[in-house]
Amino acid sequence: MLSGKRTVEALNRMELMYPDAKGELNHETPFQYLIAVILSAQATDVSVNKVTPGLFASYPTAKDLAKASLEDVMSKIRTIGLYKNKAKNIIKTSQMLVELYDGEIPETIKELVKLPGVGIKTANVVAGDMFGVPAIAVDTHVERVAKRLRISKQSASVNEVEEVLMKKIPRERWVQAHHTIILFGRYHCTARSPKCDACPLLDLCLEGQRNMKKKEK
């Protein structure tokens, strides 16, 4: 297992590769970011960014989306996965925001997870990016990188990966670390054909070293 010190060293090297790492979902307001993150579950940011301009042009605020017809919302987001359930959730979330928060989104993870379609990962992302709440959201990229580098156990659940990252990475770096690791996993340490031969973390990565030895045979 990679120690806390080595984990921070790995993160430092990733940050040199992606010094300006940030979320890639397009938005203009915290509400729009919340909706975009909900839509991004089991979908790519690219696919979400294709549908949100039309969605937000028609429904820019929670008050607008709360009054939308389900059929119209579904028609606007139908190219992304699980669009039917997501359409229901973002309308219900908007209605709850209007009823309980005057159309604004709550700033705490505890309140965010009460919204339809908002799990702990979405809440962590939104609270961290919009309000600076220290959090690490574990998506498929973060989980893959953490396990390949042996920051966490291979058998670790998503919650366990989150816990070990929070233990090994300083709290003040959690939000930025989340984005840095995502970009590293999305563009370098990819699910298929990771770029091990050009990886500045190779000396820290047993899996990468094994991959290189296989290529040499």
Side-chain angles (χ1 to χ4, degrees), residues 140-169:
T140 56
H141 301 298
V142 174
E143 181 179 8
R144 180 172 65 255
V145 171
K147 290 183 176 181
R148 281 183 174 170
L149 284 170
R150 304 298 191 267
I151 296 171
S152 68
K153 295 179 180 178
Q154 297 295 296
S155 59
S157 66
V158 170
N159 288 339
E160 289 170 338
V161 172
E162 180 182 322
E163 288 173 5
V164 76
L165 286 171
M166 290 166 68
K167 285 179 181 178
K168 293 183 177 181
I169 295 173

Side-chain angles (χ1 to χ4, degrees), residues 27-61:
H27 64 283
E28 293 183 356
T29 65
F31 165 72
Q32 291 181 4
Y33 189 59
L34 169 64
I35 297 303
V37 177
I38 293 174
L39 295 179
S40 72
Q42 299 183 49
T44 66
D45 289 359
V46 172
S47 67
V48 174
N49 286 338
K50 288 180 179 178
V51 303
T52 49
L55 179 69
F56 295 150
S58 297
Y59 310 110
T61 69

Side-chain angles (χ1 to χ4, degrees), residues 9-209:
E9 174 60 26
L11 179 60
N12 289 341
R13 295 185 199 180
M14 290 183 222
E15 287 186 347
L16 289 175
M17 298 173 70
Y18 303 99
D20 301 312
K22 60 182 180 180
E24 297 183 312
L25 291 169
N26 296 332
H27 64 283
E28 293 183 356
T29 65
F31 165 72
Q32 291 181 4
Y33 189 59
L34 169 64
I35 297 303
V37 177
I38 293 174
L39 295 179
S40 72
Q42 299 183 49
T44 66
D45 289 359
V46 172
S47 67
V48 174
N49 286 338
K50 288 180 179 178
V51 303
T52 49
L55 179 69
F56 295 150
S58 297
Y59 310 110
T61 69
K63 292 179 180 179
D64 296 314
L65 190 53
K67 297 180 289 186
S69 74
L70 178 61
E71 292 73 18
D72 188 56
V73 174
M74 285 195 298
S75 72
K76 286 178 167 54
I77 66 169
R78 66 185 308 115
T79 57
I80 63 174
L82 306 175
Y83 74 93
K84 293 181 181 179
N85 282 336
K86 289 177 180 178
K88 293 176 184 177
N89 283 335
I90 62 175
I91 291 174
K92 289 179 180 178
T93 281
S94 299
Q95 292 169 345
M96 188 177 292
L97 290 176
V98 171
E99 293 168 5
L100 301 180
Y101 303 100
D102 195 30
E104 302 298 321
I105 69 171
E107 298 185 10
T108 67
I109 293 171
K110 182 179 179 181
E111 292 298 311
L112 283 166
V113 294
K114 295 178 182 179
L115 300 171
V118 178
I120 187 64
K121 184 180 76 173
T122 295
N124 282 348
V125 171
V126 174
D129 286 343
M130 294 294 100
F131 308 116
V133 177
I136 295 179
V138 178
D139 69 352
T140 56
H141 301 298
V142 174
E143 181 179 8
R144 180 172 65 255
V145 171
K147 290 183 176 181
R148 281 183 174 170
L149 284 170
R150 304 298 191 267
I151 296 171
S152 68
K153 295 179 180 178
Q154 297 295 296
S155 59
S157 66
V158 170
N159 288 339
E160 289 170 338
V161 172
E162 180 182 322
E163 288 173 5
V164 76
L165 286 171
M166 290 166 68
K167 285 179 181 178
K168 293 183 177 181
I169 295 173
R171 182 181 177 87
E172 64 272 14
R173 298 183 67 177
W174 287 356
V175 175
Q176 189 61 38
H178 157 74
H179 290 301
T180 300
I181 299 171
I182 283 179
L183 294 191
F184 180 74
R186 181 176 290 163
Y187 298 115
H188 189 86
C189 191
T190 51
R192 296 182 181 180
S193 303
K195 301 176 177 65
C196 299
D197 56 342
C199 186
L201 281 72
L202 187 60
D203 62 306
L204 301 175
C205 183
L206 289 176
E207 186 160 339
Q209 292 167 24

